Amino acid sequence: MKGNFDLSAPLGGQGAGAGPDTFERIPVSVYATPDEGARAAAAAIAALLRQRAAEGCSCVLGLATGSTMIAVYAELLRLHREEGLSFRNAVTFNLDEYYPIDRTAYQSYYQFMQRHLFQQVDIAPANIHLPDGSLPKEAVRAHCAAYEEAIAAAGGIDLQLLGIGHNGHIGFNEPGSGLHTRTRLVNLEPGTRMANSYEFANPGQVPRLAISMGLSTILQARRIILLAWGPGKARIVRQAVEGQPSESVPASLLQQHPDCRFVVDTAAAAELTRLRAPWLAGEVEWTSATVRRAVVRLALEKGKPVLWLTNKDYTEAGLGDLLADRGDAYTINLEVYYALRDSITGWPGGKQGAGSSHPERAEPWPKRVLIFSPHPDDDIISMGGTFRRLHEQGHTVHVAYQTSGNIAVTDEFLLRHLDFAAGFEAAAGDGNEQTGRALQEVHAYLAQKGPHDLDSPLIRSLKGLIRRGEARATCRYVGLPEDQVHFQNLPFYETGTIEKNPMGPEDVRITKELLQTVRPHQVFAAGDLADPHGTHKVCLDVVLQALKELKESGAGWIGDCRLWLYKGAWQEWDVEEIDMAVPMSPGQVLEKRHGIFMHQSQKDIVPFQGDDAREFWQRAEERNAHTADAYAQLGLTRYAALEAFKRWDF
């Protein structure tokens, strides 16, 4: 019998474990950032490896793939290199693999594990086990049975790592998977394939099948750690840990495991009752932010304007302590109503002569504004109406496109441009040998390119050129001069793959240089951490690090600079979080749509769009209309649309 190992100590976090003040049926450790959570999970794995080595026995690990796991494996590599953590006694079994897929394909989970862990540690190749997605279909059943036998022969899995899908799947066990399922060939739901499409050149290339451990296999592991990062996972995390166990949410079946723990960041924990409505789980400190959150959520749940809420509404919702702390409903309602009212402004750069109730200060006027756009279309998608307002109201607006966005251009769209270029040269009689060779090279490469192959540097540069032209067209549409448009091409992005490098010193240097040149009074940046391929997060980290270093270096203009965060195409700020809401008329909504249409390479079929099949202009309009509807429901003026921003203290 292998020795027991207590995971509770290294996986503390905020509110570690279910207790009398939570509604959670599974212990949940909440960490401020994904990196902190990943370090805790890696520390637990490292401790188990060392314990098993000291006992003279192997350590059997069940491993998972996907972006959630990258930081965990990075920390394990650091422990291996810097602290001598050995994997010589490790035996690993991976959860799943696409089918069919060759092990040489970049998108295969075999290659993922080689890149992120196996090639860089001292694990014996014979101890590595992954499902084989390259087998003929008639051999898969026997392969799955042999996989189960290998797990049993190894003594069973000591510690299983898991992620969680937006529909609650663990491994590739989709909703409806039976509790007694074992390793098998499974069909992937369209939503899962769409969510994973960011790994492929287009959604159609995502395999429709996968080989996956079953729920019974997973639940037989001695210990389980499930990781979840970001706001996109908040809803399903709550369902899994607070809802009734059900095969319709496979992760909820982990409630039946005797030693399972969820490790999440604050964004993924946001819908847990103890964070979403902490007044239901115990005593809270009633700050202005907490009061606003409680009252806004109460009004939306009741379907009442804020000013219509009564003492009875508060009491029935478990908010009697708020009444005792702040007075009656009338007083509290007015406080929240005025805060919501004052967040709405048609002057995102401030209004000359206006009082202090506006979100942005009146002076200095006009302002220098710098909008950071992670991809070449995030500016117009996320804040197109505000972008136009700032320019039209006389501010000096600069836009910085942080990355080339080249991987989001399909081969078909590139070929369309190449056909035009070749036709133009023929019509103009102005062809040259060098251009002709380049066109031939691209056509030849694309003709032999396999479904899982990466683009060549030349193709990436041409695709980046297409997106740069579309961004310039948008800026011309808004009216921005050419010298106020900046293409940063941050190095972290230029890997040729969906997987990006971490933020580096050169990314920060380029950003600091632009900030010093513009010396902005306002900075707008993407605060959307739900971006499925992580570019937005790295871009925000770069901006924050650049501002931090400039502040520490004593840059005088920093003290007069405010940072406003918008969200991207995937989510919006909750009403209670919004510090500035910029209204748009129906005509302005249409103008924004036309600006988004400048990005023709991103229309119709968009690569890497996550699990949302809508086009970006549809997402933007529905999101902005939803925010306007929420404000109207709360008793504020009804606008056609509202763009939302949160002020960030850097």
Side-chain angles (χ1 to χ4, degrees), residues 206-264:
V206 183
R208 298 179 182 277
L209 302 172
I211 299 172
S212 177
M213 284 187 193
L215 292 174
S216 177
T217 314
I218 292 169
L219 288 168
Q220 285 181 350
R222 294 179 182 86
R223 305 195 181 272
I224 296 174
I225 301 176
L226 184 146
L227 309 176
W229 319 134
K233 297 296 177 69
R235 179 192 60 82
I236 197 63
V237 164
R238 182 190 180 197
Q239 283 185 253
V241 302
E242 293 189 2
Q244 292 290 332
S246 166
E247 290 178 350
S248 64
V249 181
S252 69
L253 299 175
L254 296 172
Q255 294 176 24
Q256 302 178 19
H257 194 277
D259 198 350
C260 175
R261 180 176 294 272
F262 278 40
V263 177
V264 302

Side-chain angles (χ1 to χ4, degrees), residues 1 28 35 63 91 101 150 165 177 243 336 360 370 378 389 449-450 479 501-502 506 522 612 625:
M1 174 76 73
V28 182
D35 286 343
L63 300 180
V91 178
I101 197 166
S177 297
V336 174
E360 181 57 83
L370 177 54
D378 287 311
R389 282 268 180 92
K449 180 182 173 185
N501 291 323
E506 185 64 9
Q522 280 184 306
D612 190 335

Side-chain angles (χ1 to χ4, degrees), residues 116-160:
H116 290 287
L117 188 65
F118 294 153
Q119 288 179 347
Q120 303 174 67
V121 297
D122 58 344
I123 188 170
N127 288 347
I128 297 171
H129 304 84
L130 292 96
D132 190 346
S134 65
L135 295 172
K137 198 166 187 178
E138 59 270 19
V140 170
R141 184 184 294 271
H143 173 66
C144 292
Y147 204 72
E148 290 284 340
E149 291 170 4
I151 294 173
I157 292 172
D158 293 314
L159 173 58
Q160 176 68 59

Side-chain angles (χ1 to χ4, degrees), residues 611-630:
D611 59 354
D612 190 335
R614 295 173 299 168
E615 291 188 46
F616 288 134
W617 68 270
Q618 293 171 313
R619 303 187 204 188
E621 289 188 13
E622 290 176 25
R623 184 187 68 192
N624 296 158
H626 176 76
T627 303
D629 289 343

Side-chain angles (χ1 to χ4, degrees), residues 269-570:
E271 288 298 313
L272 295 178
T273 299
R274 60 173 149 131
L275 296 178
R276 179 180 59 90
W279 45 89
L280 297 178
E283 292 186 9
V284 299
E285 179 183 354
W286 289 109
T287 64
S288 295
T290 309
V291 171
R292 179 172 170 178
R293 176 153 51 114
V295 174
V296 166
R297 295 199 174 205
L298 174 61
L300 292 175
E301 288 169 5
K302 291 285 186 181
K304 286 184 173 184
V306 168
L307 294 178
W308 287 23
L309 294 173
T310 66
N311 285 354
K312 183 181 178 183
D313 292 327
Y314 280 79
T315 303
E316 289 178 346
L319 292 169
D321 288 349
L322 175 55
L323 294 175
D325 187 83
R326 291 295 183 96
D328 65 5
Y330 178 77
T331 303
I332 301 169
N333 294 347
L334 282 176
E335 175 188 338
V336 174
Y337 178 83
Y338 290 145
L340 291 169
R341 181 199 63 186
D342 292 345
S343 69
I344 301 173
T345 180
W347 298 83
K351 184 176 183 180
Q352 284 181 298
S356 59
S357 62
H358 278 254
E360 181 57 83
R361 63 211 186 280
E363 301 296 335
W365 181 278
K367 291 182 175 64
R368 294 185 298 275
V369 180
L370 177 54
I371 299 171
F372 283 102
S373 182
H375 301 95
D377 55 358
D378 287 311
D379 54 336
I380 193 68
I381 290 171
S382 299
M383 55 173 293
T386 304
F387 184 179
R388 290 178 66 93
R389 282 268 180 92
L390 288 164
H391 173 69
E392 290 167 356
Q393 289 172 358
H395 302 288
T396 303
V397 181
H398 293 254
V399 180
Y401 296 104
Q402 294 174 275
T403 72
S404 67
N406 53 43
I407 60 169
V409 178
T410 63
D411 294 343
E412 292 76 13
F413 199 85
L414 173 61
L415 287 170
R416 192 186 310 172
H417 278 258
L418 293 178
D419 288 343
F420 173 81
F424 176 81
E425 287 192 341
D430 193 27
N432 65 70
E433 187 176 342
Q434 185 175 1
T435 302
R437 281 199 305 269
L439 290 173
Q440 289 177 359
E441 178 185 335
V442 172
H443 273 285
Y445 186 88
L446 293 179
Q448 58 82 43
K449 180 182 173 185
H452 306 312
D453 291 343
L454 305 180
D455 286 336
S456 69
L458 174 59
I459 290 175
R460 293 204 307 271
S461 68
L462 291 173
K463 289 182 175 181
L465 187 62
I466 289 171
R467 299 215 64 187
R468 182 179 292 207
E470 292 171 342
R472 280 203 176 98
T474 296
C475 290
R476 285 195 297 271
Y477 177 70
V478 172
L480 237 55
E482 181 74 21
D483 62 356
Q484 290 168 212
V485 183
H486 311 272
F487 295 95
Q488 293 188 291
N489 291 325
L490 295 181
F492 85 86
Y493 183 88
E494 298 303 326
T495 62
T497 70
I498 293 299
E499 242 171 65
K500 303 306 176 192
N501 291 323
M503 172 183 72
E506 185 64 9
D507 302 308
V508 177
R509 184 198 65 78
I510 292 169
T511 304
K512 284 169 62 178
E513 189 174 278
L514 179 59
L515 283 163
Q516 282 283 53
T517 300
V518 177
R519 301 165 70 86
H521 302 105
Q522 280 184 306
V523 170
F524 289 86
D528 182 5
L529 305 185
D531 172 9
H533 39 86
T535 299
H536 282 215
K537 182 183 186 304
V538 181
C539 285
L540 178 60
D541 288 343
V542 170
V543 172
L544 292 175
Q545 183 64 26
L547 289 168
K548 177 176 179 287
E549 292 183 12
L550 287 168
K551 183 177 180 180
E552 290 173 349
S553 70
W557 58 269
I558 280 279
D560 201 27
C561 178
R562 289 186 179 180
L563 174 60
W564 293 94
L565 299 185
Y566 60 84
K567 288 213 173 182
W570 291 274

